[in-house]
């Protein structure tokens, strides 16, 4: 990518931040500006930055984590005629938007307390601006998904296994690190515990087997999902 195109992309990101000043915190805006201003090809890998880049169509298809994850979900479970619940959909619900474009029938309900207030529900896509928990009353669903929802990972697993709903979860660097109730000493310990909890839940509730998959081109963290026996 030449520098002129990189500069044009950076200016597009700057303009987006100016047009949507309430989307991100001041620290997030500084972080987004920092990574975008580096003018490299990997600025979109950083946290909320990738939401803007995908919204603006600036991520190459072969490097787009939203495309990769939605395609994996389609291959494993299908998207049509599915009522999907997404946990931790982000400020800009990019994964949900991409899935909805591929669905001929079915719905997707997105949970995230930080969902942008000027993004409206559309036909088949419902936005829930609330924190997802193990007590959340979810709509009738046959698939739960999460793309790096951090602390949303555990309630997603609990809801899915207790209600015997298929699920796929892309893990990230951890859950509620730094909180008073956090007793994990490392990301690895949190990941191991989370995967163990998911495996036990799948086995105890006759949901087949838990599988782990890594897509290193997009993230160093694993994807876990249940696969029922045929």
């Amino acid at each position: 990518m030449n520098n002129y195109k990189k500069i044009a992309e950076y200016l597009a990101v700057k303009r987006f931040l100016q047009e949507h000043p309430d989307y991100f915190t001041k620290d997030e805006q500084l972080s987004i500006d920092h990574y975008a201003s580096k003018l490299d090809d990997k600025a979109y890998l950083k946290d909320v930055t990738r939401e803007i880049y995908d919204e603006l169509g600036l991520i190459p298809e072969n490097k787009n984590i939203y495309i990769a994850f939605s395609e994996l979900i389609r291959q494993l479970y299908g998207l049509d005629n599915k009522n999907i619940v997404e946990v931790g959909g982000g400020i800009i619900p990019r994964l949900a938007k991409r899935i909805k474009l591929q669905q001929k029938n079915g719905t997707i309900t997105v949970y995230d307390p930080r969902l942008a207030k000027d993004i409206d529900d559309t036909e088949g896509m419902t936005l829930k601006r609330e924190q997802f928990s193990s007590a959340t009353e979810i709509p009738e669903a046959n698939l739960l998904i999460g793309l790096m929802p951090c602390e949303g990972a555990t309630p997603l697993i609990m809801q899915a296994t207790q209600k015997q709903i298929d699920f796929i979860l892309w893990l990230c660097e951890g859950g509620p690190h730094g909180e008073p109730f956090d007793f994990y000493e490392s990301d690895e310990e949190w990941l191991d515990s989370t995967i163990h909890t998911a495996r036990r839940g799948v086995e105890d509730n006759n949901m087949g087997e838990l599988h782990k998959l890594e897509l290193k081109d997009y993230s160093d963290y694993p994807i876990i999902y249940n696969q029922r026996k045929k």
Side-chain angles (χ1 to χ4, degrees):
M1 184 186 301
N2 61 56
N3 280 339
Y4 291 111
K5 186 174 182 181
K6 291 178 182 177
I7 292 169
E9 290 185 355
Y10 171 60
L11 293 175
V13 172
K14 290 278 287 185
R15 185 164 56 252
F16 186 92
L17 290 174
Q18 292 169 356
E19 292 172 350
H20 304 281
D22 299 329
Y23 277 22
F24 307 100
T25 67
K26 293 297 183 183
D27 286 344
E28 286 170 340
Q29 291 179 39
L30 289 172
S31 177
I32 292 166
D33 184 84
H34 168 73
Y35 288 114
S37 66
K38 292 171 73 71
L39 304 182
D40 62 29
D41 295 334
K42 297 183 179 179
Y44 53 81
L45 296 176
K46 304 297 181 180
D47 301 322
V48 292
T49 309
R50 66 171 172 257
E51 296 181 13
I52 298 176
Y53 271 69
D54 193 51
E55 182 77 2
L56 297 174
L58 301 179
I59 307 179
E61 286 194 10
N62 65 334
K63 297 180 180 180
N64 191 310
I65 195 170
Y66 302 107
I67 293 176
F69 196 39
S70 61
E71 176 59 19
L72 178 62
I73 296 168
R74 187 192 65 78
Q75 291 176 7
L76 291 172
Y77 300 105
L79 296 175
D80 272 337
N81 300 310
K82 293 285 186 183
N83 294 321
I84 300 171
V85 169
E86 182 187 3
V87 177
I91 297 167
I92 309 170
R94 288 306 310 162
L95 179 62
K97 286 185 176 184
R98 285 194 171 276
I99 287 174
K100 194 63 231 163
L101 286 173
Q102 296 182 64
Q103 278 188 323
K104 295 178 182 177
N105 299 292
T107 65
I108 183 162
T109 303
V110 188
Y111 287 84
D112 199 305
R114 293 193 62 193
L115 281 160
K117 291 181 173 57
D118 62 351
I119 299 177
D120 297 323
D121 293 356
T122 60
E123 184 176 356
M125 184 175 79
T126 302
L127 305 179
K128 297 284 190 178
R129 294 175 175 86
E130 59 187 85
Q131 188 72 40
F132 188 87
S133 75
S134 57
T136 298
E137 292 290 335
I138 63 174
E140 183 176 346
N142 42 32
L143 182 62
L144 267 62
I145 66 174
L147 174 58
M148 303 180 182
C150 294
E151 65 268 22
T154 298
L156 186 158
I157 292 167
M158 298 301 293
Q159 287 255 24
T161 54
Q162 289 174 2
K163 296 177 180 176
Q164 298 182 313
I165 303 171
D166 289 335
F167 70 94
I168 180 167
L169 169 63
W170 200 324
L171 294 164
C172 56
E173 64 273 11
H177 292 307
E179 299 294 340
F181 49 82
D182 176 22
F183 53 86
Y184 297 107
E185 295 183 357
S186 68
D187 290 342
E188 290 75 17
E189 186 179 353
W190 182 83
L191 287 168
D192 288 345
S193 176
T194 301
I195 293 170
H196 175 74
T197 299
R199 181 172 287 109
R200 285 292 304 273
V202 167
E203 293 173 354
D204 291 348
N205 291 282
N206 299 312
M207 296 173 64
E209 297 180 347
L210 186 80
H211 292 265
K212 184 171 77 169
L213 173 68
E214 294 184 349
L215 297 179
K216 292 290 190 179
D217 288 343
Y218 303 94
S219 171
D220 290 331
Y221 295 96
I223 300 165
I224 58 173
Y225 61 95
N226 78 296
Q227 193 165 54
R228 297 181 189 268
K229 297 177 182 178
K230 295 182 180 180

